[in-house]
């Protein structure tokens, strides 16, 4: 049976609704009532948009195309879920995450896997009801879903566009003013600190600004003794005369 339901990405704002490798789908609640039994399973078919028309529903579960075949077969099936999970009375999450299992493809198995999508696409998806004897019902294909393309650092233009240059110019002017103000404050603080040191030690300050030269001071030469002085070693000056006796003869 061809059901009129068309899968779609939620129109409301949702964190991570569309990324470079995943996207979210609305939960198809109440869509399969009357077309699926409790023992049936609902699959999600993911195909590149230009390959969706060529997709053929598998006759049994053993023929389900795996996630690893997407690069060559351009389609795969994932999110195998009991039909009862989509029934009206059953509580269910609001969205389905496609491509959210990062562990897929590591072991090379054929088990159903919900791995990251390898390229921006675009992709188209549909829901397929599978019973014990093969397909029973399916929805229509979705509109093309294009993922976000990761930006490469080499593609970033270092020069801003003309229409966006005003905020950059204002930011540059503010940064320059801030740097000039900081330099003025630091200069004032430094001058005040230097003046305080000079006032605290005026002798060193006066000496620091005076030009001077070093020179050798020769030792004092011996001077002749004035009359009435006693004997003393040469160069040590004059002492009081000693009365006990005359100077010894040379």
């Amino acid at each position: 049976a061809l059901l009129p339901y068309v899968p779609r990405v939620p129109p409301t704002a949702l964190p991570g609704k569309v990324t470079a490798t995943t996207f979210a789908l609305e939960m198809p609640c109440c869509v399969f009532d009357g077309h699926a039994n409790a023992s049936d399973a609902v699959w999600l078919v993911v195909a590149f948009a230009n390959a969706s028309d060529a997709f053929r529903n598998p006759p049994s579960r053993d023929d389900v195309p795996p996630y690893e075949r997407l690069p060559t077969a351009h389609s795969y099936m994932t999110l195998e879920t009991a039909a009862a999970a989509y029934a009206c009375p059953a509580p269910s999450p609001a969205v389905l995450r496609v491509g959210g299992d990062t562990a897929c493809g590591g072991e090379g198995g054929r088990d159903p896997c919900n791995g990251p999508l390898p390229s921006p696409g675009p992709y188209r998806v549909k829901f397929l009801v599978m019973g014990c004897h093969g397909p029973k019902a399916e929805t229509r294909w979705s509109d093309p879903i294009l993922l976000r393309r990761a930006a490469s650092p080499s593609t970033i233009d270092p020069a801003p566009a003309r229409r966006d240059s005003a905020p950059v110019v204002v930011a540059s002017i503010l940064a320059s003013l801030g740097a000039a103000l900081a330099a003025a404050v630091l200069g004032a603080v430094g001058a005040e600190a230097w003046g305080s040191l000079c006032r605290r030690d005026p002798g060193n300050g006066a000496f620091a600004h005076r030009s001077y030269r070093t020179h050798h001071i020769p030792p004092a030469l011996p001077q002749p003794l004035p009359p009435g002085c006693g004997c003393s070693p040469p160069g040590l000056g004059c002492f009081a005369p000693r009365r006990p006796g005359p100077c010894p003869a040379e």
Side-chain angles (χ1 to χ4, degrees), residues 89-169:
S92 59
V95 296
L96 297 174
R97 173 65 59 180
V98 182
D101 187 359
T102 58
C104 288
E107 300 178 358
R110 290 181 54 88
D111 293 335
C113 192
N114 183 27
L117 298 170
S119 69
Y123 299 93
R124 297 179 73 187
V125 299
K126 72 174 181 178
F127 290 97
L128 177 65
V129 180
M130 296 278 290
C132 296
H133 303 288
K136 297 178 62 175
E138 64 180 346
T139 67
R140 298 181 181 275
W141 287 101
S142 69
D143 294 330
I145 301 172
L146 183 65
L147 303 186
R148 296 183 183 274
R149 187 181 299 273
S152 172
S154 61
T155 62
I156 299 176
D157 187 3
R162 182 176 298 274
R163 62 178 179 271
D164 297 330
S165 60
V168 177
V169 172

Side-chain angles (χ1 to χ4, degrees), residues 236-248:
L236 295 184
C238 180
F239 292 90
R242 297 182 180 179
R243 297 182 178 274
C247 292

Side-chain angles (χ1 to χ4, degrees), residues 14-39:
L14 183 68
K17 180 171 62 174
V18 177
T19 71
T21 57
T22 68
F23 63 91
L25 286 176
E26 285 185 340
M27 194 79 169
C29 295
C30 309
V31 173
F32 311 111
D33 291 354
H35 300 276
N37 301 325
S39 60

